[in-house]
Amino acid sequence: YSFCTLLLGSEGGGGMPSSDVYGGWVTESECTCGTQCLTVDCVLYGKVAFQPKMLRALWEVFRVVVFFATVGISDILFGGLKDNTHEYIMLRARCSSCRKVTHYVAEHGLRGPTLRCGRYTTNTVTWPLDDNTQIPLSKIREIYTQMPSQYNLIWFNCSHWSELFTSKLGVI
């Protein structure tokens, strides 16, 4: 099995599929043993395409308009506006008592940062940052609560937040 197959395959998970502005989403239930037993053993960086397609198309038009309106300076100053994806951090947590696997997604959007139990299921790409870590979920929640909550499309968006979060976790 590949790393991502183990992470997103039949192990753990469950839950009901639903839709999200960024793509398909499955909410998972936490282990009933209590979160003090959960240890994150895998950290992934993920990207999910905006949904619906009309939103993606509008975003691409906006990016081009900003590029030409600023005569390309926006690319130099801000690194350009990001592609039509949302970036997030996926965490795989395993209970030390019952061995249940639960996924968490840490992300930052217009409504501020969220740490929710579940995973994106469609229009997503992930790659491992650290598949050999052992971080208690309580420590991750502590780091998460100390993260900045302001959002700015150019200065502090989902990409910046995800990079800062992984650096605070020590996996980047």
Side-chain angles (χ1 to χ4, degrees), residues 147-167:
M147 291 291 294
S149 61
Q150 78 278 6
Y151 182 88
N152 182 292
L153 184 61
I154 296 177
W155 300 108
F156 198 73
N157 58 36
C158 61
S159 175
H160 302 111
W161 190 91
S162 295
E163 289 172 13
L164 180 62
F165 186 65
T166 54
S167 70

Side-chain angles (χ1 to χ4, degrees), residues 30-38 95-100:
E30 289 185 304
C31 157
T32 57
C33 300
T35 56
Q36 72 278 4
C37 301
L38 290 170
C95 176
S96 59
S97 296
C98 70
R99 307 301 296 159
K100 177 180 175 163

Side-chain angles (χ1 to χ4, degrees), residues 12 18 29 33 46 54 58 60 64 71 74 89 92 97 103-104 111 116 122 126 144 149 155-156:
S18 65
S29 60
C33 300
M54 179 59 97
L58 288 172
E60 289 304 315
V64 170
V71 195
S74 65
I89 304 303
R92 181 180 66 192
S97 296
H103 301 98
Y104 292 84
R111 289 177 252 147
R116 53 187 177 155
T122 58
T126 57
Y144 168 80
S149 61
W155 300 108
F156 198 73

Side-chain angles (χ1 to χ4, degrees), residues 74-145:
S74 65
D75 277 14
I76 296 167
L77 293 177
F78 313 122
L81 294 175
K82 301 292 182 187
D83 57 9
N84 61 6
T85 60
H86 170 64
E87 297 178 25
Y88 63 93
I89 304 303
M90 185 186 297
L91 309 162
R92 181 180 66 192
R94 187 178 308 270
C95 176
S96 59
S97 296
C98 70
R99 307 301 296 159
K100 177 180 175 163
V101 171
T102 306
H103 301 98
Y104 292 84
V105 168
E107 59 192 339
H108 188 44
L110 294 173
R111 289 177 252 147
T114 59
L115 178 64
R116 53 187 177 155
C117 192
R119 57 189 162 80
Y120 288 107
T121 58
T122 58
N123 303 314
T124 187
V125 175
T126 57
W127 56 94
L129 292 175
D130 190 345
D131 61 352
N132 193 26
T133 189
Q134 295 295 312
I135 307 171
L137 185 61
S138 58
K139 178 68 175 168
I140 287 175
R141 285 192 166 139
E142 180 183 317
I143 292 168
Y144 168 80
T145 59

Side-chain angles (χ1 to χ4, degrees), residues 10 12 69:
S10 61

